[in-house]
Structure formats: C-alpha cells, structure tokens
Amino acid sequence: MGFSVFSDEHYMGEALKEAKLAAAEDEVPIGAVIVCDGKIIARAHNMTERLNDVTAHAEMIAITAAENFLGAKYLVDCTIYVTIEPCPMCAAALGWAQMGKVVYGAPDPKMGYSLIQGRLLHPKTLVVSGLRASECASLMTDFFRKKR
Amino acid sequence: MGFSVFSDEHYMGEALKEAKLAAAEDEVPIGAVIVCDGKIIARAHNMTERLNDVTAHAEMIAITAAENFLGAKYLVDCTIYVTIEPCPMCAAALGWAQMGKVVYGAPDPKMGYSLIQGRLLHPKTLVVSGLRASECASLMTDFFRKKR
C-alpha cells in the first residue's frame, strides 16, 4: 500500500470531512478519499442530487478521479477510505479497479455490499471495517432524522 | 414503458451499432441505448480504455446521460437495451435508477450479474434476455480472438 506517516484514522478523518461537505449540500453524507503512497489522490462525496445521477456515489467519483490522476485503470497500490460500507454498485466498481485496500466506517445494514452473496470486490482486496464508525454513522442518522 | 412503433429487435440493433463503434475504437464491444416513449434518449458504448476508467461501461454512461436528459434520477418508464448481460456494477446502478425494463442480448457467463445471489436490479424491473444474442456475442468473441 506504500509508506505513509499517517494512520488509517487520519485518512478516515479526511473522508469524514467530505461527508460533512455532502451534508452541507443536502446530499446523503458519505465521503471518500483514495490514498496512494501516503498521498490523497482523489476526494469525493455523494453528488446524486446535484448531478441528478444515481451513479454519482462518493466511491464512483473517487475511483474515476484516481484513475484519471494516475492514468491507469487499476488501483492495486491504493487504499480507499469511505465513511459508510459501499453498496453493491460501488463494491463491484472497486472490484473492477482491483482496489488494494478498502477501509470503511459504519456498516450499511440495508444497502451494503455484504448483503450480497458472490464476488464483488477483487479477491486480493484487503477490507477493514468499523473505523471511526460512530462518527460516520451519526452523520447519516442526523441527516435522515432531519428528512423525516 | 410507453408507446413505440419500433420493436425490441430494432432498439437492440441500435445498441449493436454502439457495440460496433466500441470495437472500431478497440474497446470491449458492448453497446447500450435507453428508450423512453419510443425515443432513444441515451446511447453509449464501453469507453474504459479511452477514459482510463473502469466505471465507463456502456450502461453507466447511458444511465448518466438519460438522467441528465430527463432531469430525473429515476428511469421507471425507460427501457435499456444492452448487447451483453450487465455486470454487477451496472446491474446495481440500474437498480438505483429503478430502470423499468432491461433487455440484453447475450449472457456473460463470467462477469454477468446473474452469477450474484441477492438483489441488484430493482424488484419491479422487467428483464428480457437472449435478444439478437448471437450477433451480440459474436462481436465479443471476434474481439477477444484478435486480442490473443
């Protein structure tokens, strides 16, 4: 994954900043950053409302941005930090990108990819879950509480 | 799905034209069109090589284009015609878009969404498969034969 002076917690904090930007824009508050050799090469948050586009999840935008930055289709040496468990669309996209490591905060018990039986992520992808989970989850619960 | 003077076979022919454009650009030859009220509102083909982007599948590009055209996130009154069975990423994206009907040509026995257990498409989405399947499949076999 390359050397980094920062911890997973640090980068999840950057993903949380993105999630907070989403909340401020009245978007579902999910944020993501992609890190390569200790450097953030892509950062994104959900933009489905602004773009009127169901594919504009934080992870999808971040994958496209990271591949554009690297000029490469595969992200085997990268780590994505995302505040909420990816949905099946994003997990399968991370699979196509052969993402090296996926670190997510809170689980998504309704739409998370782990509800699906079958390979979505690449078999070599490392997965870490539960990082800063309560901070990640509370952004979501606050957001949907206000919607009711 | 709205009235149309054209048949499913006709629109699959339009998706096949897109697939042939992909082949001419040395992209994996998969094409898609999205139809609403008998009108093609989006057409796309695989662009993963040109864009260096694993998310640039025909269906993903077509969904984004159709939602942009309609100014709406949901495609409940639309039909997508795609030459090859969607992968899990695209199937889940079609699920988010609540696509009314999915018509695909040839199955994808390696990467198709039907390998996955669990809900990817929306439960109300109609699925028709096998339309002009041999034409759709032969574009793929010809393409990968030349790659070997």
Side-chain angles (χ1 to χ4, degrees), chain A residues 95-132:
Chain A
W96 282 117
Q98 301 182 22
M99 182 67 66
K101 184 175 167 185
V102 175
V103 181
Y104 68 85
D108 183 344
K110 283 188 183 165
M111 297 305 297
Y113 80 93
S114 58
L115 294 170
I116 301 291
Q117 299 291 314
R119 185 159 80 73
L120 294 174
L121 292 174
H122 192 274
K124 288 191 179 169
T125 300
L126 296 173
V127 178
V128 175
S129 62
L131 200 74
R132 301 182 69 166

Side-chain angles (χ1 to χ4, degrees), chain A residues 48-49 52-55 57 60 63-64 67 71-73 87-89 92-93 96-97 111 116-120, chain B residues 48-49 52-55 57 60 63-64 67 71-73 87-89 92-93 96-97 111 116-120:
Chain A
T48 52
E49 296 303 320
N52 248 324
D53 184 350
V54 295
T55 73
H57 286 192
M60 302 299 281
I63 290 167
T64 298
E67 293 180 344
K73 283 199 305 173
C87 78
M89 171 180 74
W96 282 117
M111 297 305 297
I116 301 291
Q117 299 291 314
R119 185 159 80 73
L120 294 174
Chain B
T48 52
E49 296 302 320
N52 248 324
D53 184 350
V54 295
T55 74
H57 286 193
M60 302 299 281
I63 291 167
T64 298
E67 292 180 344
K73 282 197 306 173
C87 78
M89 172 181 73
W96 281 116
M111 298 305 296
I116 300 292
Q117 298 292 313
R119 186 159 80 76
L120 294 174

Side-chain angles (χ1 to χ4, degrees), chain B residues 23-99:
Chain B
E25 294 166 7
D26 209 30
E27 298 277 1
V28 174
I30 300 177
V33 298
I34 294 177
V35 174
C36 190
D37 289 330
K39 186 172 150 189
I40 294 176
I41 62 167
R43 46 193 318 144
H45 57 264
N46 193 301
M47 286 195 179
T48 52
E49 296 302 320
R50 194 204 297 186
L51 300 180
N52 248 324
D53 184 350
V54 295
T55 74
H57 286 193
E59 302 94 315
M60 302 299 281
I61 300 169
I63 291 167
T64 298
E67 292 180 344
N68 186 50
F69 177 84
L70 295 175
K73 282 197 306 173
Y74 302 114
L75 303 174
V76 289
D77 294 323
C78 299
T79 300
I80 189 168
Y81 297 84
V82 55
T83 57
I84 300 292
E85 180 187 356
C87 78
M89 172 181 73
C90 294
L94 293 167
W96 281 116
Q98 302 183 20
M99 182 67 67

Side-chain angles (χ1 to χ4, degrees), chain A residues 7 10 13 18 25 37 40 49 54 73 78 101 122 129 134:
Chain A
S7 63
H10 167 78
E18 286 293 321
E25 295 166 5
D37 289 330
I40 294 176
E49 296 303 320
V54 295
K73 283 199 305 173
C78 298
K101 184 175 167 185
H122 192 274
S129 62
S134 62

